[in-house]
Amino acid sequence: VQDDSYEKACEALIYIRKLPFLEAETTLLAHAKDLVSSAPQETTSLLMEICTPNSKRWASCTSEGGSSANTSFFSNPETYLPSFVDYSNNEQKFTHSNELKRFLWHVVNSSNATVKVWNTLLELCLHSAMLLASSTTSNTSTTSNTSKTSKASKVLGVEDSTFQKITPSTKASMEVMKILKDTKAEYDTDQALVLVQRHGFSAGQLYLYEKRKMYHMIIQHYMDGNDHRSILATGRKYGERDPNVWRKM
């Protein structure tokens, strides 16, 4: 496993797949970071599998008493997050962001996501949206992989034909809003607000302000942008619910 070559990493992954659950989990916990570095796609696929409840590969494992158990064993996804993070230079930086995103979306869709997983997915999507929004290049390839486009459109609930016409920046923003508006999402609202503010993601800020009934912050947001029409519209919309909105104006 310590050999950083792609071939050796793939051989290690094949070996791990054949191990009983506890041995496979222990091995992955010890070497996942190196494996992700050497074979990111293949390793991510195995991590997705071992973190999936009711995974067929590790179902009906044998218990200590020798009897066959009908339960399915699966790992805590949080334990593998450090495998996709570089902590060098006293900074936390995501590595292999696309594979990490694929892993996290799989986890949240398999109903095995913790608050930390939701928060990490939100931060990763915000980071992508910020980079794309600030990019000044427009050399987007028109020959993107069809299967990847189809999968992404299903995640966001958009028809393939419509999704292909949307710019990468808009797609990234849609991912962020999908997370924020998901009624089943278990992200920490306070942390989410900090993240959208840090990344300057206005749509997310306004949504969370309204969700938390922070109407005065919506007014402040529009005041900072000298958007007088939106200030008045916000006052009319929320003035009856919170008289302090008019005082803010």
Side-chain angles (χ1 to χ4, degrees):
V1 173
Q2 292 179 351
D3 192 320
D4 61 359
S5 70
Y6 174 78
E7 292 78 9
K8 290 293 184 181
C10 289
E11 289 178 6
L13 291 170
I14 292 173
Y15 170 75
I16 294 172
R17 285 179 181 275
K18 298 177 181 179
L19 295 174
F21 172 78
L22 291 179
E23 292 181 35
E25 181 181 54
T26 300
T27 305
L28 279 173
L29 288 174
H31 303 290
K33 192 174 185 68
D34 291 333
L35 289 169
V36 167
S37 178
S38 299
Q41 292 185 3
E42 293 80 2
T43 304
T44 301
S45 294
L46 182 56
L47 294 180
M48 289 164 60
E49 194 168 355
I50 202 170
C51 292
T52 301
N54 303 317
S55 173
K56 294 181 180 180
R57 182 174 300 278
W58 285 288
S60 299
C61 294
T62 302
S63 65
E64 293 182 1
S67 59
S68 180
N70 293 323
T71 56
S72 175
F73 294 88
F74 58 93
S75 290
N76 180 353
E78 280 190 24
T79 59
Y80 299 106
L81 295 181
S83 302
F84 296 91
V85 178
D86 179 15
Y87 295 99
S88 60
N89 300 322
N90 296 320
E91 293 183 7
Q92 176 178 308
K93 180 180 179 181
F94 292 120
T95 60
H96 303 287
S97 297
N98 290 336
E99 294 306 313
L100 175 57
K101 188 182 292 186
R102 183 165 71 96
F103 173 64
L104 294 174
W105 274 118
H106 173 81
V107 171
V108 299
N109 288 330
S110 64
S111 303
N112 187 28
T114 61
V115 172
K116 186 173 182 179
V117 167
W118 278 105
N119 287 351
T120 303
L121 177 59
L122 176 60
E123 182 177 3
L124 186 63
C125 290
L126 278 166
H127 185 67
S128 298
M130 180 188 69
L131 289 178
L132 289 168
S134 61
S135 176
T136 56
T137 60
S138 58
N139 57 342
T140 304
S141 173
T142 58
T143 58
S144 59
N145 184 284
T146 304
S147 62
K148 289 184 179 180
T149 300
S150 180
K151 289 179 181 179
S153 65
K154 289 179 180 178
V155 166
L156 298 175
V158 181
E159 293 293 334
D160 288 355
S161 58
T162 302
F163 188 75
Q164 291 174 353
K165 300 177 183 177
I166 301 174
T167 65
S169 178
T170 302
K171 291 175 186 177
S173 297
M174 289 172 64
E175 279 190 323
V176 174
M177 293 309 299
K178 177 180 173 62
I179 295 171
L180 294 176
K181 293 182 177 181
D182 189 342
T183 57
K184 297 180 181 179
E186 297 181 1
Y187 58 82
D188 181 88
T189 307
D190 290 336
Q191 179 66 18
L193 187 54
V194 170
L195 288 173
V196 295
Q197 289 174 334
R198 181 190 303 164
H199 288 83
F201 189 72
S202 296
Q205 292 180 55
L206 293 172
Y207 173 77
L208 290 175
Y209 289 153
E210 182 175 22
K211 182 178 180 179
R212 301 187 62 181
K213 300 181 180 180
M214 300 170 66
Y215 307 129
H216 64 289
M217 290 301 297
I218 299 178
I219 293 291
Q220 185 62 55
H221 176 85
Y222 289 130
M223 289 178 67
D224 292 341
N226 294 319
D227 189 343
H228 303 292
R229 180 176 298 180
S230 295
I231 292 173
L232 292 175
T234 301
R236 297 189 189 100
K237 184 176 181 180
Y238 302 114
E240 293 184 2
R241 305 183 203 179
D242 184 2
N244 290 323
V245 168
W246 291 111
R247 295 173 185 172
K248 180 68 179 178
M249 297 168 62

